[in-house]
């Protein structure tokens, strides 16, 4: 299941691959981006529900940012009614996409989502050139990811290694640990890395049901927002388990992996190195854990050996060209399918 083939429904494929290229964008269209042009969400997304879910995700962050909301308001932002109807309209302004809101507890009538927050979420032709998706030009790329942190000792040690080697990674953190060590989570972002959601206390989502899964994710989003001021974009379900219903309800992209180091089973630095280096291919998402000393000790050699093979390290967001969408799960570059499938 981890090595998914490159298939999605025709609608998603067209929107994700063809739509974002911005082919056929005229000078008049480019100029219109900075005017008060009214568009439908169907136009913005090429009638793609996954992209509309991504816009809702960006809207929640903007509501919190615009109101300088405390973490206690994170639960409330998920209750704000946001567009599901493709026929609803928004306005392209010089600063971003302006959306009207229904009455809500934040007492906000409208928000303007900055264009930079909508990269990969709306079609390229509606974005300024600086915010359009541009595929990675580097051929041999991989993404290091680390689960189950933050650890007060090992995560900072790992961050020093990454910085020394000029490598950025993606960390999927457990909410209860974020609450204990918020300073470490802030350091992850400060180092130019990505921070994702790995549940509150690492249950098997398949065993707890959709309602409890959503609660696990939202509670961790709240902890990460409290620590960093940002809602995490991505979710990695513990054990990689998630149902289609849970994938729809979470409304965040699901990040899986294509290279499993099995470092938790080995607890052996040499085996960790061999496991990762031998299995890595271009476009791989590598799964490791920053709560095991042996794993952290393996990272410098893994980086050295993969660089020697010509690989470049990028974050998950960079690997996926910032195009990961809610309702879909991603195993590697160009390797995704519907969540729960």
């Amino acid at each position: 299941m981890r090595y998914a083939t490159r298939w999605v429904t025709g609608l998603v494929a067209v929107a994700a691959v063809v739509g974002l290229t911005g082919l056929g964008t005229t000078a008049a269209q480019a100029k219109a981006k900075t005017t008060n042009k009214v568009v439908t969400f169907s136009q913005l997304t090429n009638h793609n529900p996954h992209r509309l879910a991504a816009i809702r995700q960006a809207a929640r962050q903007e509501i919190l940012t615009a109101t300088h909301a405390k973490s206690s308001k994170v639960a409330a932002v998920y209750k704000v009614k946001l567009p599901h109807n493709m026929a609803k309209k928004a306005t392209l302004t010089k600063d971003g996409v302006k959306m009207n809101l229904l009455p809500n507890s934040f007492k906000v009538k409208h928000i303007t989502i900055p264009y930079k927050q909508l990269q990969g979420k709306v079609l390229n032709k509606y974005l300024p050139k600086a915010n359009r998706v541009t595929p990675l030009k580097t051929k041999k790329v991989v993404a290091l990811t680390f689960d189950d942190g933050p650890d007060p000792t090992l995560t900072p040690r790992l961050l020093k290694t990454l910085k020394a080697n000029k490598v950025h990674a993606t960390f999927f953190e457990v909410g209860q640990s974020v609450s204990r060590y918020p300073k470490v989570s802030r350091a992850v972002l400060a180092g130019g890395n990505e921070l994702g959601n790995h549940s509150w206390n690492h249950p098997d989502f398949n065993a707890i049901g959709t309602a409890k899964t959503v609660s696990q994710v939202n509670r961790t989003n709240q902890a990460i927002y409290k620590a960093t001021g940002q809602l995490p974009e991505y979710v990695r379900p513990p054990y990689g388990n998630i149902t289609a219903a849970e994938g729809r309800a979470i409304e965040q992209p699901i990040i899986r992996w294509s290279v499993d180091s099995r470092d938790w089973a080995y607890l052996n630095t040499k085996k960790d190195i061999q496991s990762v280096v031998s299995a890595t291919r271009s476009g791989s998402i590598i799964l490791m854990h920053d709560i095991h000393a042996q794993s952290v000790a393996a990272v410098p050699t893994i980086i050295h050996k993969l660089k020697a093979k010509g690989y470049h390290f990028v974050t998950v967001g960079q690997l996926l060209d910032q195009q990961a969408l809610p309702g879909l799960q991603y195993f590697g570059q160009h390797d995704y399918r519907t969540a729960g499938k």
Side-chain angles (χ1 to χ4, degrees):
M1 293 293 291
R2 291 174 183 161
Y3 301 95
T5 57
R6 300 180 183 180
W7 66 272
V8 286
T9 61
L11 177 63
V12 176
V14 170
V17 179
V18 178
L20 276 173
T21 63
L23 293 176
T25 301
T26 65
Q29 286 174 318
K31 184 177 180 180
K33 295 178 187 65
T34 58
T35 66
N36 290 328
K37 179 180 179 180
V38 176
V39 293
T40 65
F41 286 105
S42 179
Q43 290 173 304
L44 286 174
T45 67
N46 197 22
H47 206 75
N48 186 327
H50 297 289
R51 296 202 180 283
L52 185 52
I55 293 173
R56 292 195 295 271
Q57 184 185 15
R60 294 183 186 105
Q61 176 66 58
E62 183 56 29
I63 291 170
L64 294 172
T65 300
T67 60
H68 306 284
K70 295 182 178 180
S71 61
S72 59
K73 294 288 288 183
V74 169
V77 84
Y78 288 97
K79 297 179 181 179
V80 176
K81 293 182 178 180
L82 296 169
H84 284 75
N85 187 336
M86 289 288 182
K88 293 292 184 180
K89 297 178 180 180
T91 304
L92 303 179
T93 74
K94 64 181 181 64
D95 297 316
V97 175
K98 182 179 179 181
M99 298 169 48
N100 293 324
L101 301 178
L102 293 172
N104 56 78
S105 63
F106 291 85
K107 298 181 180 180
V108 175
K109 294 183 179 180
H110 58 80
I111 56 169
T112 299
I113 307 173
Y115 288 117
K116 66 180 180 180
Q117 302 300 329
L118 293 171
Q119 183 182 41
K121 297 175 173 62
V122 305
L123 302 188
N124 262 357
K125 67 182 181 179
Y126 296 108
L127 297 171
K129 289 185 179 180
N131 303 122
R132 295 178 187 175
V133 169
T134 54
L136 282 173
K137 295 181 180 179
T138 304
K139 292 184 178 180
K140 298 183 71 172
V141 290
V142 295
L144 276 174
T145 68
F146 299 92
D147 286 9
D148 294 355
D151 181 273
T153 301
L154 295 177
T155 303
R157 185 182 303 171
L158 174 59
L159 291 175
K160 289 182 180 179
T161 295
L162 296 176
K163 182 177 180 180
N165 287 277
K166 298 181 180 179
V167 166
H168 294 139
T170 303
F171 291 73
F172 292 94
E173 298 191 337
V174 176
Q176 61 181 7
S177 295
V178 175
S179 293
R180 292 187 188 124
Y181 312 113
K183 186 176 180 180
V184 181
S185 295
R186 289 194 290 273
V188 168
L189 288 183
N193 305 288
E194 288 179 329
L195 189 56
N197 183 320
H198 195 44
S199 81
W200 177 257
N201 59 0
H202 211 277
D204 183 342
F205 286 174
N206 284 1
I208 64 175
T210 301
K212 289 183 178 179
T213 292
V214 171
S215 177
Q216 283 269 330
V217 170
N218 288 354
R219 190 177 181 187
T220 301
N221 284 347
Q222 181 173 348
I224 292 174
Y225 178 82
K226 183 177 182 180
T228 68
Q230 295 291 318
L231 295 174
E233 184 165 0
Y234 308 123
V235 171
R236 172 171 281 168
Y239 316 106
N241 292 339
I242 190 166
T243 67
E246 290 164 351
R248 289 191 299 269
I250 288 172
E251 287 204 346
Q252 291 172 248
I254 306 301
I255 306 300
R256 299 282 292 276
W257 58 87
S258 54
V259 175
D260 187 352
S261 68
R262 290 186 59 79
D263 54 351
W264 57 271
Y266 298 138
L267 296 179
N268 181 297
T269 297
K270 289 185 179 180
K271 285 188 176 181
D272 292 343
I273 294 169
Q274 181 181 9
S275 174
V276 171
V277 173
S278 63
T280 296
R281 302 291 183 270
S282 183
S284 292
I285 296 176
I286 301 168
L287 169 62
M288 299 187 71
H289 297 79
D290 56 328
I291 60 169
H292 304 307
Q294 298 89 339
S295 304
V296 173
V299 172
T301 303
I302 288 172
I303 291 174
H304 175 75
K305 286 182 175 292
L306 290 180
K307 280 188 174 182
K309 289 187 174 186
Y311 287 103
H312 297 264
F313 291 88
V314 294
T315 63
V316 165
Q318 292 169 329
L319 187 78
L320 301 177
D321 293 329
Q322 309 300 339
Q323 295 184 60
L325 299 174
L328 302 178
Q329 56 181 343
Y330 297 81
F331 297 80
Q333 191 179 42
H334 312 303
D335 191 356
Y336 60 104
R337 66 177 94 169
T338 302
K341 300 292 185 179

